[in-house]
Amino acid sequence: MPAVTASAPGKIILFGEHAVVYGQPSIAVPVTQVRAKAAVFPNPTGAPDEIWLDAPDIGLHAAASSLGVDHPLVMPLLAVKAALGLTHLPACKIKITSTIPVAAGLGSGAAVSAALARALAGFLGRPLPDDSISTIAFQVDQHYHGTSSGVDNTVIAYAQPVFFVRGQPFQRLTVAQPFQIVIGNTGLHSPTATVVNDLRLRWQAHPETYNPLFVHVGEITCQARALIENGHPLALGPLMNENHALLQQMDVSCPELDNLVQAALNGGALGAKLCGGGRGGNMIALVEEHNGSAVSQALRAAGATHTISTCVA
Ligand code: PMV
């Protein structure tokens, strides 16, 4: 059996993070410049179920059996085994690499799960459809986050823009006119589960404060969808600013994110907001062709550790 490789992109949430956990719609798009990759190599001399994992980015070199069944790199493998109704997996070595920043709101966990599941199923000669890959990535996310809305695994497994409402089949989003986004990283690691859980506690204590914020985000997301589908993406800027202000009111932003959002706007962006779980990680800015690099420079001058330019199409 030859080596089999697979990959999955990163993602950004253009509108609706956090509110999506409470039933409001969200819009997410893939970011193909960053990817998680998995390569499965046969090990003809190994025993059944002997799987060696190499993840050099995180310094992990270990037998899957030594990591435990709920390790995030092992769960997707066992899920593939179950989905295919297998009693054993053939001995193999799996190398996992990723250029997606970790704990930064770009979907690195879901992309690693999707790439792993896809590569293993391909190696076994039984490729799984995108909906199975999405389900596997969701199961892993859910195990660690507990409250995952499902938006990350969906946009990453299908690798296309989505309009997503929790618990409903996702809708593909048609981007009538491509547009440019610059992503700026605060460099702060912020586990999504912590921010989601903190917000849940505040919501439980004061639903009357938070429910209107979630509903307002949902309205903005629907307006954004119409602009994207009708070919008016440059008009998304004010909606992004409004969405960011609502995220600030939910207390999921932080000074570093607010600083980068402001720097992007000062640098000529049409709109900007935090992206993903918040309290660190990344923000996004809507730019025009002519000022994308100026906005990237403004972000780096303001402390962004990394910027990525991506075209939403
Ligand atoms: O994984 P992140 O950091 O992009 O955040 C996911 C978006 C949230 O709405 C905050 C959580 C969720 O499960 O939808």
Side-chain angles (χ1 to χ4, degrees):
M1 270 186 280
V4 173
T5 61
S7 71
K11 70 100 222 312
I12 48 176
I13 298 180
L14 290 182
F15 292 93
E17 52 273 273
H18 286 291
V20 68
V21 173
Y22 299 85
Q24 297 297 327
S26 57
I27 294 174
V29 300
V31 177
T32 52
Q33 288 85 349
V34 287
R35 302 191 81 86
K37 291 185 186 156
V40 186
F41 302 88
N43 176 10
T45 57
D49 287 320
E50 192 180 307
I51 296 174
W52 185 262
L53 292 171
D54 279 325
D57 301 340
I58 54 168
L60 183 144
H61 306 278
S65 57
S66 71
L67 297 174
V69 293
D70 60 358
H71 188 280
L73 298 181
V74 177
M75 284 184 76
L77 308 178
L78 297 179
V80 169
K81 184 177 168 184
L84 297 177
L86 302 174
T87 46
H88 294 290
L89 291 172
C92 58
K93 293 181 185 178
I94 307 180
K95 184 171 182 187
I96 303 120
T97 53
S98 176
T99 53
I100 308 173
V102 176
L106 296 186
S108 89
V112 166
S113 298
L116 265 175
R118 230 178 234 145
L120 180 62
F123 175 77
L124 296 168
R126 296 178 59 189
L128 287 167
D130 290 342
D131 65 333
S132 303
I133 298 293
S134 181
T135 301
I136 290 171
F138 177 74
Q139 286 165 353
V140 180
D141 230 30
Q142 190 66 4
H143 184 79
Y144 284 92
H145 293 184
T147 53
S148 180
S149 66
V151 63
D152 278 20
N153 51 284
T154 302
V155 63
I156 282 166
Y158 288 87
Q160 56 185 286
V162 299
F163 181 85
F164 178 88
V165 179
R166 184 175 196 165
Q168 294 181 16
F170 79 93
Q171 296 170 48
R172 285 159 213 265
L173 200 64
T174 307
V175 179
Q177 178 84 43
F179 55 98
Q180 291 289 128
I181 293 284
V182 174
I183 305 168
N185 195 340
T186 61
L188 295 179
H189 284 220
S190 173
T192 297
T194 309
V195 189
V196 169
N197 289 337
D198 286 355
L199 178 56
R200 191 192 311 107
L201 293 177
R202 290 196 298 282
W203 168 70
Q204 281 168 344
H206 295 287
E208 73 289 355
T209 303
Y210 291 93
N211 284 336
L213 300 179
F214 301 147
V215 170
H216 194 165
V217 170
E219 289 162 1
I220 288 172
T221 303
C222 290
Q223 290 169 31
R225 177 188 189 167
L227 292 174
I228 292 169
E229 293 192 323
N230 294 325
H232 306 294
L234 299 186
L236 292 170
L239 295 181
M240 291 171 73
N241 296 339
E242 223 179 313
N243 195 163
H244 184 69
L246 290 161
L247 289 158
Q248 287 175 315
Q249 289 173 55
M250 291 175 208
D251 198 17
V252 298
S253 191
C254 63
E256 292 82 355
L257 279 167
D258 293 343
N259 173 45
L260 292 188
V261 163
Q262 196 53 52
L265 295 173
N266 294 346
L270 298 172
K273 61 180 275 295
L274 74 82
C275 168
R279 297 259 180 88
N282 282 277
M283 49 69 67
I284 55 174
L286 176 69
V287 298
E288 294 170 272
E289 289 284 340
H290 67 86
N291 68 0
S293 52
V295 171
S296 295
Q297 275 169 25
L299 285 170
R300 283 197 293 270
T305 56
H306 198 84
T307 59
I308 300 169
S309 287
T310 189
C311 178
V312 179

